[in-house]
Amino acid sequence: MDFKNKLFSFNLEEDIARAKQLQRDEHLWQHGRGTASDGQDTNAHCQPTCHLTTAADSIVIYYSRSGSTELLAHSIASIIKGDILEIVIQNPYDTNYQKTLERANYERVNQNYPLLKMKMPNLDQYQTIYLGYPVWAMTLSHPMTAFLNTYGSKLHQKTIAPFMTQGGYGAGDSIDKIKEILYQKHSNNNFVNPLVIDGNKVNQAHNQIERWLSSIRK
Ligand SMILES: Cc1cc2nc3c(=O)[nH]c(=O)nc-3n(C[C@H](O)[C@H](O)[C@H](O)COP(=O)(O)O)c2cc1C
């Protein structure tokens, strides 16, 4: 696949419509419990997100099952006018939250993380890598773990700007986990403070996103 110069534009309204949890109040959302996906990990009606240019010095790399992190990733990429790449796995998680939870628990206990289905571009041109993921079981969600296990060494000497969506319980140990994997991959990185957003409120987080980006790009 030719990554470069692929025509691409975001439709943030479509992102919001696809992620049903964005319309839900706290009572119905229940900290993300019950949040369904389309079983294609956000991509039933569109191609996996991939927009790469020769000019950008930043790239957003993210995984999203039910669309909240995808909306956040698209918003960030729109503002910074950076490149963007979605982490895609071979066997997407189930539409059903409970089934996803069972699979994720099994994978975590057995450290059996999903196989990736994506091509990795050359990252030489980028100084900052924005890494986005949902928090699962108070830690890094498995597709991001798989991504870092596979490609972590390619992030050597980059500034890492982590962002995540979660059900209200916070970042857990996900940042330590990223640092641990990158350390194992002999990747030397500068980390900025993470952006942590409730998964049902990404569409209300514009000011918070802008402030976070300003603190990174000052
Ligand atoms: C398997 C699984 C485990 C989760 N564990 C947590 C958790 O430990 N803490 C939390 O705050 N939210 C948790 N959530 C909620 C998600 O982090 C939240 O819904 C997130 O916004 C989903 O992002 P996405 O739409 O990009 O997939 C979990 C969701 C799933 C599917």
Side-chain angles (χ1 to χ4, degrees):
M1 183 204 290
D2 179 15
F3 279 119
K4 301 282 175 190
N5 302 320
K6 193 174 160 194
L7 279 177
F8 188 83
S9 65
F10 301 112
N11 186 328
L12 299 180
E13 294 305 317
E14 278 182 14
D15 284 350
I16 293 169
R18 194 158 55 238
K20 303 271 183 290
Q21 66 276 11
L22 293 168
Q23 326 295 340
R24 291 195 180 170
D25 62 21
E26 303 290 355
H27 177 69
L28 280 174
W29 191 53
Q30 295 184 317
H31 300 288
R33 280 190 283 277
T35 299
S37 77
D38 60 12
Q40 302 294 320
D41 293 355
T42 70
N43 286 310
H45 303 294
C46 55
Q47 292 299 309
T49 300
C50 174
H51 177 62
L52 302 166
T53 65
T54 49
D57 67 359
S58 302
I59 184 168
V60 176
I61 301 177
Y62 74 96
Y63 169 76
S64 180
R65 170 180 167 267
S66 49
S68 292
T69 312
E70 177 154 273
L71 173 61
L72 187 53
H74 287 183
S75 302
I76 290 168
S78 295
I79 297 169
I80 65 172
K81 297 186 172 45
D83 287 355
I84 185 163
L85 178 69
E86 180 173 2
I87 296 171
V88 183
I89 58 174
Q90 286 186 16
N91 178 19
Y93 290 88
D94 203 276
T95 51
N96 178 278
Y97 172 79
Q98 199 57 40
K99 286 188 179 165
T100 293
L101 194 63
E102 283 163 20
R103 173 177 162 188
N105 286 344
Y106 175 85
E107 290 174 341
R108 191 177 53 262
V109 168
N110 294 286
Q111 296 193 16
N112 182 11
Y113 301 116
L115 294 173
L116 303 175
K117 189 177 135 190
M118 58 190 287
K119 281 190 183 168
M120 190 62 182
N122 187 318
L123 300 180
D124 286 355
Q125 77 192 67
Y126 306 112
Q127 285 168 15
T128 305
I129 314 272
Y130 294 81
L131 276 186
Y133 54 90
V135 175
W136 284 2
M138 301 310 289
T139 191
L140 208 53
S141 38
H142 302 168
M144 182 55 81
T145 304
F147 175 81
L148 293 173
N149 280 337
T150 309
Y151 295 117
S153 58
K154 291 184 183 289
L155 306 189
H156 184 52
Q157 289 186 332
K158 308 294 186 188
T159 294
I160 304 292
F163 63 94
M164 70 201 79
T165 70
Q166 42 76 48
Y169 298 107
D173 73 356
S174 63
I175 301 297
D176 288 343
K177 189 77 191 166
I178 294 173
K179 289 179 177 171
E180 184 187 311
I181 299 173
L182 291 180
Y183 180 78
Q184 285 165 2
K185 298 289 170 190
H186 308 291
S187 179
N188 184 19
N189 300 102
N190 171 36
F191 275 80
V192 305
N193 285 332
L195 175 68
V196 184
I197 304 283
D198 284 0
N200 65 335
K201 294 183 186 151
V202 184
N203 53 339
Q204 302 163 36
H206 189 74
N207 291 346
Q208 212 178 329
I209 297 167
E210 289 273 13
R211 278 199 302 276
W212 182 66
L213 290 173
S214 304
S215 74
I216 296 169
R217 298 187 298 162
K218 65 180 178 252

